[in-house]
Amino acid sequence: MAKDYCVLGIESSCDETGVALVRVSGPRLPELLAHALYSQIEMHQAYGGVVPELASRDHIRRVLPLTREVLQAAGKTLQEVDVVAFTRGPGLAGALLVGAGVACALGAALHKPVLGVHHLEGHLLSPFLSADPPEFPFVALLVSGGHTQLMQVDGVGRYQILGETIDDAAGEAFDKSAKLLGLGYPGGPALSKLAEIGDPVAFKLPRPLLHSGNLDFSFAGLKTAVMVQAKKLAMAQGCAVEALPNAVLADLAASTQAAIVEVLVKKSLAAIKGTGLSRLVVAGGVGANRSLREQLNRACAHRGVRVHYPELHLCTDNGAMIAMAAAMRLQSGMQTANEVYAFDVKPRWPLDEIMV
Ligand code: KG4
Ligand code: ZN
């Protein structure tokens, strides 16, 4: 591989089509030249959640126009793309196949190598795209819609899972609680917005596994507790949960968020203490949550721990993190892109399969 090259990244694992171009120049941190994103949220909203077949079809519609947009914004041509990276998994099979198919077709047509990337590694390395990038080693709190993990990260591909959820992910807890409060999809941003005007101590909700003595999480019971509390209130008022006064819903939202955030913060601090590291990196969609950021910042400042986040707009799925993860893997020398264009996708793909 030359010293300087451009990596095109394509993300299509769920309900966002993302494309981005990064430039690798020697050993320096890869630089984002341009990225473009199309969110399918509006289309799925009518169904209250992601409809996989509609997602796949929409990725097909969006991916090439977004690629053109990115190249134009970066002032590059397709011929100047040196590597085409795509999300190989985990995610929705049909949606992944679109990105993989387009990436491999582009690679074959351009005679350029391709590289399949792990979606979670994309999230994990996305803070390196921020104005305040971390340095290895660090503890990572990966909190997305499908995963909640604490990891020790010693370098690219050198990840050790310290703890993870045994049932629902943190994002799922936000989404499911929001849904049962009638806040629609996607629930995390809606619930956290409503929580801003609510009282976080209005309702006593469980902090699952807070004192488990390990770094695992469990959020399924919390969602049930929110449901029981909401139904109790609705029954007392003789209305449906969604018809509860906004102030009550806001208190429920704030109490739910407080429970999730407290567990995430305390377990992150325990991981910092256990590893002896002094740097925390937060990644994934829930990393956009304002309350989580405020509480982590406060707790870490007290302990002399530096916290790094992805830029707010790069917390949820995007192409930049896929291009970045591919670029950092290539740069570290742990992986090569190749000109084999027969592709597969991995809808289920444990992160430890890509660790070194
Ligand atoms: O990382 P991501 O885009 O998707 C997966 O890879 O799963 O994360 C999406 C998740 C959703 O559960 C969404 O509700 C949650 O991140 N999320 C938030 C916020 N923004 C997105 N949760 C809480 N507060 C937010 N501000
Ligand atoms: Zn994601």
Side-chain angles (χ1 to χ4, degrees), residues 16 119 123 144-146 171-172 174-175 186-189 192 284-286 288-289 315-317:
E16 254 114 18
H119 181 83
H123 278 301
S144 70
E172 219 172 335
F174 271 104
D175 292 339
S192 67
V286 181
N289 186 270
C315 280
T316 43
D317 296 347

Side-chain angles (χ1 to χ4, degrees), residues 29-30 124-136 138 153 156 281 309-310 324 328:
L29 214 47
L124 189 62
L125 299 177
S126 63
F128 285 95
L129 288 161
S130 77
D132 176 30
E135 278 169 30
F136 299 113
F138 53 77
V153 177
V156 179
V281 163
Y309 304 92
M324 186 66 171
M328 289 181 75

